[in-house]
Amino acid sequence: MSADAVPHSPAAPNRAFLVVVYLVGLALWAVFFSFGNMPAGHNDWPKEIIYYNHLASGLRFFNPPWHLGFSVQGTNRLLANPEVCLGPAILSLFLVGPKLFLLLNHLLAYSAGFIGLVKLASRWSLDMPGILIAWALLNWNGHLLAHLAVGHSMWSGWLLLPWVILGVEMFRDPDRYVRRRGVAVTALGLGGLLLQGTLHVYIWMLGVVTVAALVGWRHWREALLLPIVCVAIGLFRFLPAAVAFRPTSEGLFAGYTGVGYLVRCIAWPLPYAPEPPAPGAPAGMLLGAWEYSQHIGVIGTALALLAVFAALTRRKGSPVWSTVWVTAAALLLFFSFGNNYRPLHATGLPLLGAERGPARFAGLAALLLAFAGLASWQRMRWALWARWAAACVLLAELTVTFLQWRPAGLIDANTPE
C-alpha cells in the first residue's frame, strides 16, 4: 500500500459500479449532443462542420486536406490549425458525417478520460461516492458544458485531464521510477489534449506543470525533464501553426471585474444568453455567458475551499500535493481578473498570445481545487451517508446546468434554423 493510501472503505468501488457510472455517462453525453444532431447553424457549430466536412472529403478521396477554399481564423491551412481534431476518431469520417463524428470523438475522449479518472481515484483511494463526485465534477461542470454547447468541440479534450493530474501526482512520489513514469503520463496526457485540438486547456495545464516542476525542484532531474517533455510533445502542432498563423492585432478582453460575480459563476448555474454580455455581468465584462460559466455547485465550491484550507494548514499525510494545486489555481484565478493577463499577452511569446478571454482560466482553477479538496475529504472520518448525500446534491446541482446548456435547447434563444 502506498503512503497515500487510506484504509479500505466499505464503499470501495467495485467493477459493476464503475461500469454503471461509465455507461450512464455515455448515455448522458449522447443525450446532450442529441445523438449527433447538433444545431449546425448556430454559434460556432458552422465552423466545426466546415472543418470536418473538408477533412472527411480529403480522407474519402485519399487527398490530404491541406487547405480550405477560404480562410478560417486567419488561415486556410486546415491541418496547421491546432484546434482541429487529429485524434484516432477522424477515421470514422470515412463512414459518418461531421455531426456524428463529433459525437463519436467526444465519446472516445470520455472513455479514455474515464479510465484515467478510475486510476486517479485508485491513487487517492476514493470510495464510491467520491468517484461519483469526481466523475460529476469532470463531466458536468458549467465550464465544459457551456463551451461544448456553443460549438467549441475541441473542448472534448478536457475529459483527458485526469491523466495529466495523475501524472503530476505521480511526479511527487518518493520513488524515482514512479516520478519518471509520472513525467511520461503527464506528457502523454497533454499530447492527447493536443490531438483533440484542445490547445487552450493544454496551455493552461502547461502552466500547472511548470508550477509542479518548481515546487518539486528537489527532484531536479525530473523537475527539469517535466516541462521540457511536455513542450516537446506539442511540437507536432506548434510548428505547423507557427508557419500558418501570423500575428494579429486582435485585442484581449478583460476578465472578471469582481469577486462576487466569479463566486456566483462557480457556485451557481449561469444561464445561456444568445448575445453578450452574460446575464448579470458587471460593466466591462463583454463576452458571452459561455466564457463565464464555471459552475461546480455549492458542493464543489465547498471542496475547493477545503483544498485551500488543507494547503494553508499543511496537514500531515495529505494525499494530494496541495501546494501545487492551490498555487496553480491561485495563479489561474489571478490572471482571470480584469487586465491582469495583459502583460503576458503583450509579450507576444508563443502560446501566451493565444488567449483572448482570460476569464476561462477560472474553470480549470475551480476543477483543480475541487479535485484536491475531494482527495483531502476522503481521508476525513465523515459518515458514509454524508458522502452519498453530498454526491446526490452535487448531481442535482449540475443537472440544472446540463439542462440549461444542451445545444438543442439553445436553438430557441437564437435565430431559428
Side-chain angles (χ1 to χ4, degrees):
M1 182 178 292
S2 71
D4 287 342
V6 298
H8 178 77
S9 166
N14 55 49
R15 186 170 299 177
F17 171 79
L18 295 175
V19 169
V20 169
V21 173
Y22 168 72
L23 293 177
V24 168
L26 280 181
L28 288 175
W29 278 123
V31 170
F32 183 79
F33 287 116
S34 300
F35 300 93
N37 188 28
M38 290 80 89
H42 297 299
N43 301 112
D44 277 1
W45 288 110
K47 173 172 63 69
E48 301 299 302
I49 301 303
I50 290 172
Y51 285 163
Y52 299 109
N53 263 329
H54 200 75
L55 192 57
S57 177
L59 289 171
R60 291 169 186 170
F61 292 98
F62 301 99
N63 180 26
W66 303 116
H67 296 86
L68 292 168
F70 46 88
S71 178
V72 177
Q73 294 196 343
T75 185
N76 67 343
R77 301 182 184 183
L78 179 65
L79 298 184
N81 190 332
E83 73 175 16
V84 173
C85 174
L86 297 180
I90 63 172
L91 296 177
S92 67
L93 285 169
F94 279 108
L95 303 173
V96 303
K99 288 185 179 182
L100 190 54
F101 156 74
L102 290 170
L103 173 61
L104 294 175
N105 179 64
H106 188 82
L107 295 182
L108 181 61
Y110 166 75
S111 300
F114 188 84
I115 296 172
L117 186 66
V118 170
K119 290 187 176 295
L120 181 63
S122 176
R123 184 170 182 86
W124 286 344
S125 299
L126 298 183
D127 55 15
M128 286 193 287
I131 289 179
L132 197 59
I133 289 173
W135 171 81
L137 288 169
L138 176 69
N139 287 275
W140 317 118
N141 64 82
H143 177 95
L144 176 61
L145 294 177
H147 279 283
L148 291 173
V150 296
H152 297 170
S153 69
M154 67 290 297
W155 248 256
S156 293
W158 172 281
L159 298 175
L160 301 177
L161 283 176
W163 286 107
V164 186
I165 297 172
L166 174 63
V168 174
E169 281 287 315
M170 293 170 67
F171 174 72
R172 66 174 283 270
D173 199 279
D175 187 310
R176 178 182 294 182
Y177 173 71
V178 176
R179 289 199 304 272
R180 292 184 175 177
R181 284 180 55 208
V183 172
V185 171
T186 304
L188 291 174
L190 289 173
L193 264 69
L194 288 176
L195 280 176
Q196 288 290 324
T198 320
L199 176 67
H200 295 288
V201 183
Y202 168 88
I203 295 171
W204 311 341
M205 285 305 298
L206 195 60
V208 175
V209 164
T210 303
V211 171
L214 292 173
V215 173
W217 65 270
R218 288 183 179 84
H219 305 305
W220 66 269
R221 292 181 180 85
E222 292 82 11
L224 185 62
L225 190 63
L226 183 63
I228 292 176
V229 173
C230 290
V231 170
I233 204 168
L235 293 179
F236 77 101
R237 302 230 67 171
F238 300 149
L239 293 181
V243 173
F245 287 86
R246 297 290 183 267
T248 68
S249 58
E250 290 183 319
L252 178 72
F253 290 95
Y256 289 95
T257 58
V259 175
Y261 192 69
L262 170 63
V263 173
R264 170 188 167 180
C265 291
I266 290 176
W268 300 99
L270 184 66
Y272 172 77
E275 298 291 339
M285 296 178 63
L286 306 177
L287 298 176
W290 51 91
E291 298 289 352
Y292 305 118
S293 173
Q294 323 291 359
H295 184 225
I296 58 171
V298 174
I299 297 297
T301 304
L303 290 173
L305 294 174
L306 176 60
V308 176
F309 173 79
L312 294 177
T313 56
R314 295 181 177 271
R315 299 187 60 178
K316 186 177 181 180
S318 174
V320 291
W321 205 1
S322 298
T323 304
V324 169
W325 305 125
V326 173
T327 302
L331 288 171
L332 287 167
L333 289 173
F334 172 78
F335 287 122
S336 73
F337 275 94
N339 291 307
N340 292 345
Y341 187 69
R342 188 170 297 278
L344 291 180
H345 185 269
T347 63
L349 293 174
L351 303 183
L352 296 181
E355 299 297 336
R356 297 183 58 222
R360 295 175 173 182
F361 302 160
L364 180 59
L367 180 73
L368 294 179
L369 288 175
F371 265 35
L374 175 62
S376 291
W377 189 42
Q378 182 65 50
R379 297 181 69 88
M380 298 180 179
R381 298 184 180 276
W382 281 61
L384 184 59
W385 69 264
R387 296 184 187 279
W388 278 115
C392 292
V393 171
L394 178 64
L395 289 171
E397 291 184 289
L398 298 184
T399 296
V400 176
T401 298
F402 179 93
L403 295 175
Q404 285 180 332
W405 285 95
R406 276 193 66 212
L410 307 187
I411 293 178
D412 292 339
N414 288 281
T415 303
E417 291 188 277

